């Protein structure tokens, strides 16, 4: 939400220079309309069109721009100011730290070394799920492996002539859905949340 609310549109004309080599970064940009070329020491090496982003390297590495950006047609761009980018980046880092902290508490992850745990945490997406929400459905193709960080969920198994029956209760640190992914099969059970 912060990113969307704080992004604003800039209009530029053909031949306008947005930034030059060695300028300090003021933000990152998304080209909506028009074209923009990039040059180093007067030699053009790339041109981009609508839908592409630029200027992010200077933000990511906290360094001056290494190219000069010149519009080669009238253009419209979204700009994400430096301060907004830094705020979003900090939020992202804090979320990843929280995930890594939770992952480190799980006994089954002890077999991974610290860099492997960091990689695993970096690929996880945190979600808060309300009670009575079905997370996976028996017979469906797998999409996710789930790790229950907090709360309780029930494993349910269905047969053709009986309603689903709870066969196991999952709690903090338990994971599910991995067998269907590893064996490229379907989920063998359903899982429904009991508490948040």
């Amino acid at each position: 939400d912060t990113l969307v609310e704080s992004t604003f549109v800039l209009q530029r004309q053909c031949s306008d220079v947005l930034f030059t080599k060695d300028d300090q970064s003021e933000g990152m940009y998304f080209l909506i309309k028009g074209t923009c070329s990039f040059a180093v020491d007067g030699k053009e090496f790339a041109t981009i069109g609508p839908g592409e982003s630029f200027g992010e390297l200077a933000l990511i590495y906290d360094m001056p721009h290494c190219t000069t950006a010149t519009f080669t047609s009238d253009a419209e761009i979204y700009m994400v100011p430096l301060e907004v980018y830094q705020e979003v980046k900090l939020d992202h880092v804090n979320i990843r730290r929280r995930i890594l902290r939770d992952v480190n508490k799980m006994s089954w992850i002890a077999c991974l070394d610290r860099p492997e745990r960091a990689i695993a945490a970096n690929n996880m997406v945190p979600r808060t799920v309300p009670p009575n929400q079905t997370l996976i459905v028996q017979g469906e193709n797998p999409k996710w492996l789930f790790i229950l960080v907090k709360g309780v969920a029930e494993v349910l198994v269905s047969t053709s002539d009986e309603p689903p029956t709870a066969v196991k209760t999952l709690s903090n640190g338990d994971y599910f859905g991995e067998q269907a992914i590893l064996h490229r099969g379907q989920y063998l059970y359903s899982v429904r949340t009991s508490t948040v």
Side-chain angles (χ1 to χ4, degrees), residues 93-106:
V93 168
N94 288 337
I95 288 168
R96 292 295 163 216
R97 281 186 184 146
R98 191 179 79 232
I99 291 171
L100 185 57
R101 183 195 66 222
D102 290 337
V103 164
N104 283 333
K105 291 178 187 173
M106 298 172 191

Side-chain angles (χ1 to χ4, degrees), residues 22-196:
D22 298 325
D23 282 352
Q24 290 300 313
S25 177
E26 294 180 351
M28 70 178 290
Y29 309 90
F30 298 90
L31 195 55
I32 305 166
K33 287 192 240 177
T35 54
C36 184
S37 69
F38 300 90
V40 176
D41 300 325
K43 294 180 182 175
E44 185 179 316
F45 69 91
T47 299
I48 63 168
E52 298 193 66
S53 63
F54 60 101
E56 65 275 11
L57 289 179
L59 286 177
I60 292 167
Y61 296 109
D62 192 24
M63 62 184 208
H65 289 291
C66 56
T67 64
T68 296
T70 306
F71 293 101
T72 50
S73 70
D74 290 349
E76 190 173 304
I77 57 173
Y78 282 126
M79 178 187 180
V80 179
L82 173 63
E83 306 78 36
V84 174
Y85 173 84
Q86 289 172 333
E87 183 181 334
V88 170
K89 182 179 173 185
L90 182 61
D91 286 347
H92 178 76
V93 168
N94 288 337
I95 288 168
R96 292 295 163 216
R97 281 186 184 146
R98 191 179 79 232
I99 291 171
L100 185 57
R101 183 195 66 222
D102 290 337
V103 164
N104 283 333
K105 291 178 187 173
M106 298 172 191
S107 58
W108 60 268
I109 212 151
C111 63
L112 302 177
D113 61 26
R114 190 174 176 157
E116 288 170 331
R117 287 196 299 269
I119 290 169
N122 200 42
N123 286 289
M124 293 180 185
V125 179
R127 293 206 174 130
T128 300
V129 183
N132 298 315
Q133 178 82 32
T134 300
L135 299 172
I136 65 174
V137 177
Q138 182 177 338
E140 287 190 355
N141 291 324
K143 295 178 185 156
W144 301 97
L145 154 68
F146 293 85
I147 301 170
L148 190 59
V149 176
K150 180 181 173 188
V152 177
E154 291 181 320
V155 176
L156 306 164
V157 176
S158 301
T159 59
S160 56
D161 48 348
E162 302 234 354
T165 304
V167 295
K168 184 175 181 180
T169 300
L170 304 171
S171 59
N172 301 1
D174 288 332
Y175 55 95
F176 53 94
E178 78 289 352
Q179 289 183 1
I181 291 172
L182 291 172
H183 299 293
R184 297 183 181 171
Q186 296 176 325
Y187 290 126
L188 300 176
Y189 49 80
S190 299
V191 174
R192 183 178 60 211
T193 57
S194 302
T195 64
V196 178

Side-chain angles (χ1 to χ4, degrees), residues 1-7 84 87-88 91:
D1 289 345
T2 301
L3 188 59
V4 173
E5 291 166 6
S6 304
T7 300
V84 174
E87 183 181 334
V88 170
D91 286 347

Side-chain angles (χ1 to χ4, degrees), residues 3-19:
L3 188 59
V4 173
E5 291 166 6
S6 304
T7 300
F8 53 93
V9 178
L10 300 174
Q11 307 286 336
R12 290 294 181 261
Q13 294 182 337
C14 184
S15 301
D16 282 354
V17 174
L18 184 63
F19 53 76

